[in-house]
Amino acid sequence: MDDVLRMDAVGQARAVRDGQVSPRELVEAAIARIEARDGELNAVVHRRFERALAELAGIPEEAPFRGVPILLKDLGWRQAGEPYSGGSHVLDGLRVERDGYGVARLRAAGFVVLGRTNTPELGSTITTEPVAFGPTRNPYGPGYSPGGSSGGSAAAVAAGMVAVATASDGGGSIRIPASLCGLVGLKPTRGRISFGPDGGEGWSGFSCPGFVTRSVRDTAAALDLVSGFRPGDPYDAPALPGPLAGEVGADPGRLRVGFVTRHPRGDVPEDPEVSEAVTRAAGLLEALGHDVGPSWPEALGDAGFPLRFGAVVADNLAAEIENIGSWRGRPVELTELEPRNAELVRAGRAHSAAQHILAVQWIDAFRRRMAAWWESGYDLLLAPSLGVAPFELGWIPPHDLSVASGRTARAVAYTSPVNATGQPAISLPLHVSRSGLPVGVQLVAAAGREDLLVRVAAQVEAARPFTHAALG
């Protein structure tokens, strides 16, 4: 069964249809893999193996992903009857009443949910080391972080527990774990996937649901399943020309690609290994026939961005704590939170409504300034997925908030602006550090152009097939 677990989700679905493996055999193999590997990695914090096996009989034979196992990030991606922790003890004992739209669509397509994956408390940082559940370890090096906030999902997919897991990205939380775990991670355009029925947006529009996978075609197929406007959603992403799965293998044409290896803001030290990853990717894109040269949006260098972005995040976290208090029936005390989150909530509570609106309006102007670069004739921006080299567990210290804040700001310097603009971006596993850890690179397209990202990513994958050494 190891050969089947090494397949991507599209391959596993085909193996089921062809009779190579039964849905039960596939699910049981994934469960065995989790039990064998998760003791070291700590990626899966809630398991539902017996319920998953019992659900197999109710999946229609025509479901396209019948019997393919999947894991859900324990932040967003709500499933009826299951616990929801968000990486924190403040939600202990609570269970979800109904499926989110995305989860309902995945289950209708035949995916079998095996459990929920670890995430930092409330998803507010770039490493998965919550006090509530303990750290998740990177399959490429157990002393290293798998990133965050979708670190549990990324570690599970990289280790072969499942071929695909859900994720979400508010400041880089799909792309950063994908980079650190050697995976494909696409942050969709704002509004591409609904937060309904229980939510409208995440972090004032910064956050987007998505997936981490081992292949471009899995990312495309999974996004096709869950994408689409639902009545009442606050946003509607520009329409795609067709299913993203149909873009895999399509010719992207000759594209104009700008790249950046040194952050124009000036306060982000350049990391040689990260710069090498981008430079090599630029050479690959040029060899594939694209017009590649150093260029980037002028707004990327605006020193005012981190302050406004951080303010909006803090305001949203303060609101989330109020919501959690209502959900569980008693207010959340700041002493119940990890120090980082307690400080963010304090900051959010100290902001006036006017200050919040002014920060959002600043971001509105920033988004237009960023978009001007694509309007000037560029198709893609090539940049680091993570502003620092792969880092060890503990590198973001839980109690030294000044150091933690500075390191986080450097790490998300290339990802968080794309959350603010709502554009799609994809991280691809194209480099390995001298320590043997994966280093991803990021491609950013104009709003609504996931189709272009999938075309180019598939072209890159075909030219330089992704390797997944952590599968064992």
Side-chain angles (χ1 to χ4, degrees), residues 55-79:
E55 290 166 357
L56 285 171
I59 302 174
E61 287 196 14
E62 66 272 16
F65 286 90
R66 182 168 68 101
V68 175
I70 192 171
L71 290 164
L72 305 180
K73 180 181 179 179
D74 196 24
L75 186 69
W77 297 100
R78 298 183 180 190
Q79 183 177 9

Side-chain angles (χ1 to χ4, degrees), residues 20 34 91 168 172 180 242 250 261-262 286 293 314 323 332 366 368 378 384 395 404 411 439 451 461:
Q20 181 181 345
I34 293 171
L91 287 162
S168 56
L180 290 171
T261 58
R262 181 186 294 273
E286 190 169 42
N323 279 332
V332 177
F366 174 81
R368 295 186 187 280
Y378 281 92
W395 186 71
V439 177
D451 59 318
E461 183 181 27

Side-chain angles (χ1 to χ4, degrees), residues 207-241:
S207 185
C208 296
F211 300 88
V212 284
T213 73
R214 294 195 296 268
S215 69
V216 174
R217 69 177 185 176
D218 269 8
T219 287
L223 287 173
D224 281 339
L225 289 175
V226 300
S227 294
F229 177 83
R230 296 298 296 265
D233 286 348
Y235 311 107
D236 187 9
L240 293 166

